[in-house]
Amino acid sequence: MPHLAGPPVRAIVAPMRTLALALAALAPIAAHAQTEPPRIARLAVQVEEKSISELAAMLRTGAVSSEELVRAYMDRIATLDRQGPMLNSVIAVMPGAIEDARTLDAERKAGKLRGPLHGIPVLIKDNIEAKGPVPTTAGSTALLANVTDRDAPLVARLRAAGAIILGKTNLSQWANIRSNDSVSGWSSVGGLVKNPYALDRNACGSSSGSGAAAAASLAAATIGTETDGSIICPSSINGLVGFKPTLGLVSRTHVIPISHSQDTAGPMARSVTDAALLLTALAGTDPADPATAEADKRKTDYAADLSSDYLKGVRIGVLMDRRGGNARVQAAFAQALEKLKAAGAELVEIADSHSGLDGLGEAEFKVLMTELKADLNAYLATTPPQVTVRTLKDVIAFNAANAETELAWFDQSLFDLGESEKGPDDPEYKEALSKSKRLAGAEGIDKLLKTHNVRFLVGPSNAPAWVSDLVNGDHSIGPSQSQLPAVAGYPHITVPMGYVAGLPVGLSIIGGQWQDHAVIKAGYAFEQASKARVAPTYADSADAKADPIGK
């Protein structure tokens, strides 16, 4: 089945930037490059590794304006994403970003502040719609005409909170659901995303560009989406904090879907506090998304009450059977456990977390394939008339007709399989949905928490980044903690815990349904105890001597 995150349904590089249509899709940033030349040498605005709180303080004191922040991040995109390391993490810059910044600067001058995100530039994944002339493509040239000029509700919430939508990030095409033989981080629109810690390594997926861009400080933070691991894996592999919220906390309207039973958006940032600030803005009820009916009642200020003492006396279940085979990952995990103990946590080893979960993978896969067809068809029906693909069947035909670019490296076997599904009225689908939710939730996470009398579950989020291989595809080898919280729809955070040959690895913390704030608090306490994150170096390859763990 597709992993949809790490080495999930994979994706690879094709020379699409030479195509007229792809160039048209990239026109917004091309125009910026012509009219707004790099200013890094001229502007004394240092944004690298700056937290949202630090940027907000700079704005508050007048040390910098929002317009200057936008220009500084644009310069970093021009320098690191389009030149130099050429990360390929940003598909397009929003043409209105500078004007938005000027508006927010004027509001600040007039004494109107929208909150802690006022004037803060963020990037969003290119399966999320935003007003303006930039298409929402999911990384496919089939959607280059998908200029809806509408904000997804989650984007509208960000804007209302004062955030500036700086641009769109690259991703694994179609969020890694086209083929089991893809390479994570590739799209026919944006090419292959590179990992800023080692440029020959993969950035994971499907929120690949969001991961690399946040790690490289191409924005204050980014937004990703996840079906199964697509926030957690690229966050872990790019040295970030990534948070997958409880399903239903954040709206999915106007986000190109895979599965309404598992899809959600969430923050990807360089600190837990930054992720919490973003989640506070993102969360809320959307009448068009029934899953969010409880969101307004459940949401809170997720950046409030964060304390390094939060884990004192808290029992945490350690997923010992999910450590993975890499001895250096296990060593980083062992150090993370010592940090948890130093923070006051009581650790409880769990050696049988897979017990009783036979058939979960097959049930999840049935759900994803069935909902892919139904949900994508429903989304495509809402796109502008100039979008010629109106159904999954149309997308399959488009890919076949443009095989030289769309199918150059891998097939569309999962699309074909999804098209063959009978639909949401199929009894086999209904049985699979019920089974997957039961195994992941009541008989999975809920049972583990209750049986072992623990508040959270922890394990290494993923293995280190693998070398990108366009011919053979992804080849990551465990561990992964994403499936149970993804299928159950429960909160899951990854926080940097160490390095393997200079490559980041993260610690996963998983909690029960609607325990989002508690999981974030636990992540913050671990972050303060470990302080593991270091900035990327844009090395050409991994370095066996570059393990800054144990600090």
Side-chain angles (χ1 to χ4, degrees):
M1 64 166 289
H3 297 74
L4 306 182
V9 221
R10 307 176 297 212
I12 335 182
V13 190
M16 288 306 297
R17 292 181 192 270
T18 62
L19 295 181
L21 283 176
L23 289 174
L26 297 173
I29 196 165
H32 164 69
Q34 295 168 10
T35 61
E36 304 290 345
R39 286 177 165 76
I40 288 179
R42 298 200 300 275
L43 284 180
V45 179
Q46 298 300 319
V47 294
E48 183 178 6
E49 293 293 304
K50 293 292 186 183
S51 70
I52 291 175
S53 297
E54 288 173 323
L55 295 172
M58 292 165 64
L59 289 166
R60 184 171 58 252
T61 62
V64 69
S65 67
S66 293
E67 180 180 351
E68 288 174 322
L69 285 183
V70 167
R71 292 183 185 277
Y73 283 120
M74 285 181 172
D75 289 340
R76 286 188 67 82
I77 291 170
T79 302
L80 297 174
D81 209 62
R82 299 294 183 259
Q83 304 171 47
M86 294 187 68
L87 298 177
N88 291 330
S89 66
V90 179
I91 279 184
V93 165
M94 298 299 285
I98 289 176
E99 188 56 41
D100 290 344
R102 289 170 178 163
T103 298
L104 289 161
D105 282 335
E107 289 183 6
R108 180 181 295 276
K109 187 175 181 180
K112 177 184 177 182
L113 292 179
R114 304 188 188 191
L117 295 183
H118 190 106
I120 301 296
V122 300
L123 289 162
I124 63 174
K125 188 176 177 180
D126 193 31
N127 59 350
I128 303 170
E129 294 185 11
K131 286 182 179 179
V134 174
T136 301
T137 70
S140 171
T141 61
L143 293 182
L144 286 176
N146 189 31
V147 181
T148 65
D149 198 29
R150 61 190 179 190
D151 276 342
L154 74 86
V155 172
R157 286 183 174 275
L158 287 171
R159 292 193 201 273
I164 298 166
I165 307 303
L166 180 63
K168 298 287 201 79
T169 57
N170 200 2
L171 67 160
S172 307
Q173 190 186 71
W174 293 109
N176 251 354
I177 195 64
R178 203 191 85 191
S179 172
N180 265 325
D181 296 320
S182 63
V183 169
S184 295
W186 173 85
S187 75
S188 59
V189 173
L192 180 66
V193 179
K194 298 176 186 176
N195 190 309
Y197 287 86
L199 300 175
D200 64 344
R201 297 271 163 170
N202 200 271
C204 200
S206 63
S207 304
S208 317
S210 294
S217 298
L218 303 187
T222 61
I223 305 299
T225 66
E226 173 160 330
T227 302
D228 187 337
S230 287
I231 289 173
I232 297 300
C233 183
S235 295
S236 169
I237 276 178
N238 288 282
L240 299 174
V241 173
F243 185 72
K244 185 204 80 69
T246 295
L247 190 141
L249 187 61
V250 178
S251 167
R252 290 86 55 85
T253 301
H254 303 330
V255 179
I256 298 175
I258 291 177
S259 162
H260 64 268
S261 293
Q262 294 183 206
D263 290 349
T264 186
M268 300 170 68
R270 292 180 296 276
S271 72
V272 174
T273 299
D274 285 358
L277 289 169
L278 280 172
L279 183 64
T280 301
L282 292 169
T285 297
D286 168 20
D289 184 354
T292 65
E294 291 189 53
D296 279 350
K297 293 189 299 181
R298 298 285 187 174
K299 71 172 293 184
T300 186
D301 178 356
Y302 294 100
D305 303 321
L306 301 183
S307 169
S308 58
D309 294 330
Y310 178 74
L311 290 177
K312 288 184 176 179
V314 175
R315 287 170 58 88
I316 295 177
V318 181
L319 302 173
M320 301 301 293
D321 55 343
R322 300 186 189 182
R323 289 176 294 174
N326 187 314
R328 296 175 80 167
V329 173
Q330 291 187 34
F333 183 44
Q335 290 193 12
L337 296 180
E338 291 301 315
K339 298 294 186 182
L340 287 170
K341 286 194 286 187
E346 180 181 345
L347 304 185
V348 179
E349 292 191 1
I350 300 176
D352 59 348
S353 64
H354 287 291
S355 178
L357 301 183
D358 292 347
L360 173 59
E362 293 79 1
E364 179 190 11
F365 187 57
K366 178 70 174 180
V367 170
L368 296 183
M369 289 296 96
T370 300
E371 294 186 358
L372 167 65
K373 178 181 179 180
D375 293 355
L376 186 57
N377 286 355
Y379 171 81
L380 291 173
T382 73
T383 58
Q386 59 267 30
V387 176
T388 58
V389 291
R390 315 302 297 179
T391 63
L392 174 59
K393 185 176 181 180
D394 291 342
V395 175
I396 292 170
F398 176 92
N399 290 340
N402 295 274
E404 184 177 348
T405 53
E406 298 301 296
L407 305 180
W409 296 100
F410 59 96
D411 61 28
Q412 55 179 337
S413 54
L414 291 183
F415 272 7
D416 290 333
L417 184 57
E419 179 59 28
S420 73
E421 292 292 341
K422 297 176 182 178
D425 292 329
D426 180 12
E428 291 184 5
Y429 158 73
K430 293 180 179 179
E431 180 181 354
L433 178 60
S434 175
K435 180 178 181 179
S436 66
K437 292 295 184 185
R438 172 174 51 82
L439 289 179
E443 297 179 17
I445 294 173
D446 294 341
K447 183 178 180 181
L448 289 170
L449 295 174
K450 182 177 181 180
T451 299
H452 298 279
N453 187 27
V454 294
R455 185 76 187 276
F456 308 105
L457 304 172
V458 299
S461 301
N462 295 96
W466 57 98
V467 175
S468 293
D469 184 343
L470 305 182
V471 176
N472 296 306
D474 286 330
H475 45 86
S476 172
I477 51 170
S480 173
Q481 316 303 330
S482 68
Q483 186 180 45
L484 286 183
V487 177
Y490 291 3
H492 181 185
I493 196 170
T494 181
V495 179
M497 72 174 182
Y499 295 80
V500 172
L503 303 172
V505 286
L507 178 76
S508 280
I509 304 175
I510 298 164
Q513 186 180 33
W514 300 117
Q515 294 301 301
D516 301 76
H517 199 194
V519 170
I520 288 172
K521 289 179 181 180
Y524 178 83
F526 171 72
E527 176 189 56
Q528 298 309 299
S530 63
K531 297 190 181 299
R533 186 179 186 279
V534 297
T537 60
Y538 312 99
D540 290 331
S541 59
D543 181 354
K545 299 178 181 179
D547 283 8
I549 55 177
K551 35 185 291 193

